[in-house]
Amino acid sequence: MTTDNNNNINNTQPQPKKGTNTIMKWFRNIGCSILLLLILCGGGYFYWKYYSVFGEGVKSGTLNFVVLKGDIFKTYEGKLIMEGVVSSGQGQIESNHFTFTVEDEELAMKLMRMSGEKVELRYKEYHGTLPWRGHSVFIVDSILSNNTKSAPQKAVEKKAPEGKQTQI
C-alpha cells in the first residue's frame, strides 16, 4: 500500500495548464520573430549605409596628391583641386577641393604619377565610410581623361632682316 501512496503522491504534483503552454509558445514565437526582424532590419541598414551606391559622377580639376595612409588599414587617399573658390566662413576663402579614396592599387599608382596634372575622375558616393575602404565617402574607380602638363613649346624660327634665321 505504501507503493500506491508513493505513486499517488507523484501523480498529485501540480501540472501546468494547457492554456499556459500555448501562451508560452506564442510568446516564444513572437520573440523569435521580433529578433529575426531586428536582425534583418539591422542588416538592411548596414547594407544601405555602407554598400549601397548613393551617387555617381565625374569631377575634374588639378590632381594635388594621392598617398597611402592609415594605421591598421592602409588606403589610398587623394585630393583634387577644382576651379573656383569656396567660403569656409565669414571672411575666409579657400580653394574648392575634392577629397577621395582609391580602392584599386594600380589606379592609385597611375594617379600618383599624374600629380599636378588636370584630370577627370569618375567616382561613386556611399552614405558612410568603412575603415578598410578609406576615409572618404567618395571612391574613385577610373580616370576618364587627363590633360598632361603643357609640353615645352618648340623654338619658332623667324627670319632676320639680313636673311639670317634666329631662334626665339
Side-chain angles (χ1 to χ4, degrees), residues 46-54 69 73-77 100-104 124-140:
F46 187 82
Y47 176 80
W48 172 82
K49 179 82 172 168
Y50 300 108
Y51 289 101
S52 175
V53 176
F54 175 65
K69 63 193 308 191
F73 299 103
K74 301 290 185 185
T75 58
Y76 293 97
E77 307 294 326
F100 60 90
T101 298
V102 182
E103 287 183 320
D104 183 19
K124 292 181 181 179
E125 181 180 0
Y126 295 89
H127 292 282
T129 62
L130 291 168
W132 54 87
R133 195 166 60 196
H135 298 286
S136 175
V137 295
F138 300 104
I139 309 297
V140 169

Side-chain angles (χ1 to χ4, degrees), residues 64-77:
N64 191 4
F65 64 83
V66 174
V67 294
L68 179 65
K69 63 193 308 191
D71 293 322
I72 296 173
F73 299 103
K74 301 290 185 185
T75 58
Y76 293 97
E77 307 294 326

Side-chain angles (χ1 to χ4, degrees), residues 99-118:
T99 304
F100 60 90
T101 298
V102 182
E103 287 183 320
D104 183 19
E105 185 175 358
E106 184 179 329
L107 179 62
M109 292 301 165
K110 284 181 187 177
L111 286 170
M112 282 181 177
R113 291 187 298 271
M114 296 170 63
S115 185
E117 297 180 14
K118 187 157 177 72

Side-chain angles (χ1 to χ4, degrees), residues 15 23 43 46 48 108-109 121 147:
Q15 298 292 324
I23 292 172
F46 187 82
W48 172 82
M109 292 301 165
L121 302 176
N147 300 333

Side-chain angles (χ1 to χ4, degrees), residues 17 51 167:
K17 296 180 182 178
Y51 289 101
Q167 291 185 349

